[in-house]
Amino acid sequence: FPEMLSNPRLIPVQGTLNVVMNQNVSLSCHSDSGSPPVRYTLFKRNQKVSTLNRPDLTPSLFNLTINSASDVGEYKCKAENNISSGGKYSNSLNFTLKEPISKPVLSSPTSQAKEGQNVTLSCLSENGSLPITYIFFKGRQSISPPMKMQKREAALIFLFINSSSDFGTYKCRAENSFHNNTKYSNSFNFTLPEERSHSQPLIISLGLILLLIVIGLAVAIPFFIIPSYKASE
């Protein structure tokens, strides 16, 4: 007697849902029981992708290419035969796009600091699949534990400038699950704020006094020279 189909199973042929951009993947859709022939339809976010007909209960293979982030949405398949009403739907699958990280940017709200001051450093990779793990360095020495960020947000470290040795070169490192993908940031150095010399105000004051003396003499000389000239006549 004709038999209704069982709910199909949708599985990735490559065995993993982790993919990279421009990767070719295959999905297998298969009902274990029911009367053939069977029509399998693959959906992505409820939009029909492709339909395959099978004369028996062997799996149908749907071949895809991951061209963009939109291609990692939810996939389902539907199985139908001549007696099914509305068909039977499979489990859903979601690919995870693995993207290499971009070079992280190391920055601080201030580039100048004094001894005894608290400062902050932030490290962020704008691109790359999450999570991303960050580590901060001063020179070649790590100064933080690994910080795994599950969201697209910067890792922060708070430092205390205790001595002149704390004005060294800082960097950070970022890595994710993408194979052999570790990136180092730009270098960052704190600098001491420029201090004005104590003698500079004195020099300015002396310059102003000298200028006033010259102006005073220029104004006063005619009053002395002209009367002397008239007296000699």
Side-chain angles (χ1 to χ4, degrees):
F1 293 95
E3 183 182 357
M4 292 187 64
L5 292 167
S6 61
N7 286 83
R9 291 179 294 113
L10 184 65
I11 59 174
V13 174
Q14 66 271 22
T16 177
L17 292 173
N18 294 322
V19 295
V20 297
M21 200 69 74
N22 301 319
Q23 180 177 336
N24 296 318
V25 296
S26 295
L27 294 177
S28 170
C29 187
H30 179 223
S31 287
D32 291 324
S33 62
S35 298
V38 184
R39 182 170 66 253
Y40 293 100
T41 304
L42 182 69
F43 294 87
K44 182 181 70 175
R45 296 193 184 96
N46 298 322
Q47 296 293 318
K48 184 185 295 186
V49 175
S50 180
T51 298
L52 297 173
N53 294 305
R54 301 297 301 172
D56 48 31
L57 291 179
T58 56
S60 281
L61 294 180
F62 295 95
N63 297 312
L64 309 169
T65 301
I66 305 300
N67 290 317
S68 66
S70 63
D71 293 328
V72 297
E74 181 187 61
Y75 287 87
K76 283 186 177 183
C77 74
K78 181 174 72 172
E80 300 171 278
N81 63 4
N82 294 331
I83 65 168
S84 61
S85 176
K88 295 293 185 69
Y89 284 88
S90 74
N91 54 297
S92 62
L93 291 180
N94 282 276
F95 289 105
T96 299
L97 184 63
K98 294 175 65 177
E99 181 185 6
I101 53 177
S102 58
K103 180 179 178 178
V105 175
L106 183 64
S107 61
S108 175
T110 178
S111 61
Q112 296 183 337
K114 297 180 179 180
E115 291 185 12
Q117 181 177 340
N118 293 306
V119 294
T120 304
L121 283 173
S122 67
C123 184
L124 176 64
S125 288
E126 291 287 351
N127 299 301
S129 50
L130 299 169
I132 298 177
T133 301
Y134 298 95
I135 299 179
F136 291 86
F137 293 85
K138 184 165 76 74
R140 296 185 178 182
Q141 183 70 35
S142 64
I143 56 173
S144 76
M147 302 179 184
K148 182 177 286 189
M149 309 303 291
Q150 302 290 343
K151 297 180 180 179
R152 187 76 59 192
E153 56 188 15
L156 300 176
I157 185 173
F158 303 97
L159 304 172
F160 179 70
I161 303 299
N162 189 47
S163 65
S164 58
S165 63
D166 295 323
F167 288 91
T169 299
Y170 292 88
K171 282 190 176 184
C172 68
R173 187 181 74 194
E175 58 186 5
N176 64 2
S177 58
F178 199 88
H179 185 60
N180 291 331
N181 185 229
T182 299
K183 297 286 181 66
Y184 284 87
S185 73
N186 54 294
S187 299
F188 189 93
N189 291 75
F190 290 105
T191 59
L192 282 168
E194 295 182 5
E195 295 185 2
R196 297 178 63 180
S197 172
H198 295 296
S199 62
Q200 188 174 0
L202 179 60
I203 294 173
I204 294 174
S205 299
L206 291 175
L208 289 174
I209 292 172
L210 182 60
L211 179 61
L212 291 174
I213 292 172
V214 171
I215 294 173
L217 289 174
V219 172
I221 286 175
F223 290 97
F224 290 101
I225 294 177
I226 294 174
S228 299
Y229 176 76
K230 289 182 177 181
S232 63
E233 291 179 349

